[in-house]
Amino acid sequence: MTVTLVPYDTEHQPQIRAIREAVFMQEQGVSPELEFDGLDASAMHVLAVVDGEYVGTGRMLDDGHIGRIAILRNYRGLGLGAKVVQTLVAEASRLGYPRVYLGAQTHAVDFYAKLGFTPYGDEFMDAGIPHLSMEKSLA
């Protein structure tokens, strides 16, 4: 299994979109307008590959906001989500970002806490799903 930083280009865009459509739109009922918010072209992306199949993705905006972490259902529990997040955090650190932050779905707060993220603020709704803001200092 590999997790690699990739550009959001004609080669990688279809895989990124297909994974996010499966996880966020089909499984969680997020609308296409919310899922594809126009920020992908300026974000950094990662793709996770297992046995030649694209199975996970995530992105980071240029302000250190990590999001759109998605692993196809059949590949969950293998540590891929952690590797996706860790790859983005490592890139943020390499670029000198002081911190990274994200909006964690409340069921995933423990997952992000194990990766060094700390919750802050009040629970909020995003796309009809409860979330909690979390951050990790890189300083």
Side-chain angles (χ1 to χ4, degrees):
M1 93 178 80
T2 61
V3 176
T4 312
L5 284 161
V6 297
Y8 192 71
D9 58 13
T10 53
E11 179 184 350
H12 300 101
Q13 184 179 340
Q15 289 84 13
I16 291 166
R17 289 182 67 94
I19 294 164
R20 285 168 46 187
E21 286 171 5
V23 172
F24 296 119
M25 293 164 52
Q26 293 167 19
E27 284 183 38
Q28 298 180 357
V30 175
S31 74
E33 298 76 29
L34 288 174
E35 180 53 35
F36 298 106
D37 56 10
L39 300 176
D40 286 316
S42 61
M44 323 176 186
H45 295 265
V46 294
L47 274 171
V49 180
V50 174
D51 297 329
E53 187 174 347
Y54 294 96
V55 300
T57 190
R59 77 174 186 192
M60 183 171 60
L61 305 178
D62 59 13
D63 65 353
H65 182 246
I66 290 174
R68 305 308 200 267
I69 307 299
I71 306 297
L72 294 179
R73 186 188 306 261
N74 292 344
Y75 293 89
R76 294 180 195 151
L78 304 174
L80 286 167
K83 284 188 183 204
V84 165
V85 174
Q86 289 163 339
T87 300
L88 290 167
V89 169
E91 182 64 5
S93 183
R94 186 186 75 76
L95 293 170
Y97 290 19
R99 73 169 191 141
V100 288
Y101 69 101
L102 50 83
Q105 292 184 10
T106 52
H107 71 82
V109 167
D110 288 344
F111 166 80
Y112 290 110
K114 288 178 184 149
L115 295 173
F117 285 80
T118 306
Y120 66 93
D122 296 323
E123 188 175 294
F124 63 95
M125 297 298 283
D126 187 10
I129 301 166
H131 284 69
L132 194 60
S133 295
M134 300 185 79
E135 66 184 345
K136 179 176 182 165
S137 174
L138 302 178

